[in-house]
Amino acid sequence: MSEKDREKIVMNEVRLVNIGFGNMVSSGRIVAIVSPESAPVKRIISEARKKSMLIDGTCGRRTRAVIVTDSDHVILSSIQPETVANRVKDWSDDEDDEEEDEVAEDE
């Protein structure tokens, strides 16, 4: 497999992050992960609901994290923002490790 083919596969690869109850979000599309308590975030949720851009992934539980995507979708999660951020970070760390392994193999 040529280097160009590998790049195409990596570019098309979607990294999914579990946001609770088996719900997944593409880590590359996440712009912000915030707590839902502040008034501005509550307004963002309300506006997203009016525009039908709200995705509720809480399964009826209390909302603990609000995820904003680059497509202006707002996703509600019942796990802590720090937990979601750590899961996103773990994915990016795994990706960095894979890149380092590929460089080592090429040498």
Side-chain angles (χ1 to χ4, degrees):
M1 183 180 288
S2 73
E3 188 65 32
K4 231 179 210 182
D5 291 335
R6 283 189 197 148
E7 288 176 16
K8 287 179 185 175
I9 291 171
V10 170
M11 288 177 67
N12 291 332
E13 191 172 310
V14 176
R15 299 285 185 160
L16 297 176
V17 177
N18 187 338
I19 60 163
F21 301 105
N23 298 309
M24 309 289 250
V25 175
S26 176
S27 64
R29 307 292 304 261
I30 296 174
V31 174
I33 306 167
V34 294
S35 178
E37 279 90 36
S38 70
V41 175
K42 289 180 182 180
R43 276 193 299 274
I44 290 170
I45 293 169
S46 177
E47 289 171 10
R49 185 173 282 124
K50 289 177 188 173
K51 294 180 189 175
S52 297
M53 299 290 280
L54 182 70
I55 301 169
D56 189 349
T58 62
C59 292
R61 303 290 199 312
R62 180 174 158 232
T63 300
R64 292 194 170 103
V66 178
I67 302 166
V68 181
T69 66
D70 59 356
S71 61
D72 290 333
H73 283 86
V74 177
I75 304 165
L76 306 180
S77 174
S78 60
I79 61 175
Q80 294 291 333
E82 295 84 14
T83 305
V84 177
N86 287 334
R87 291 178 183 180
V88 170
K89 181 182 175 296
D90 289 345
W91 273 115
S92 64
D93 288 347
D94 289 346
E95 194 173 90
D96 292 342
D97 292 342
E98 289 173 8
E99 288 176 8
E100 289 172 7
D101 291 343
E102 287 177 11
V103 170
E105 290 174 3
D106 291 342
E107 293 175 354

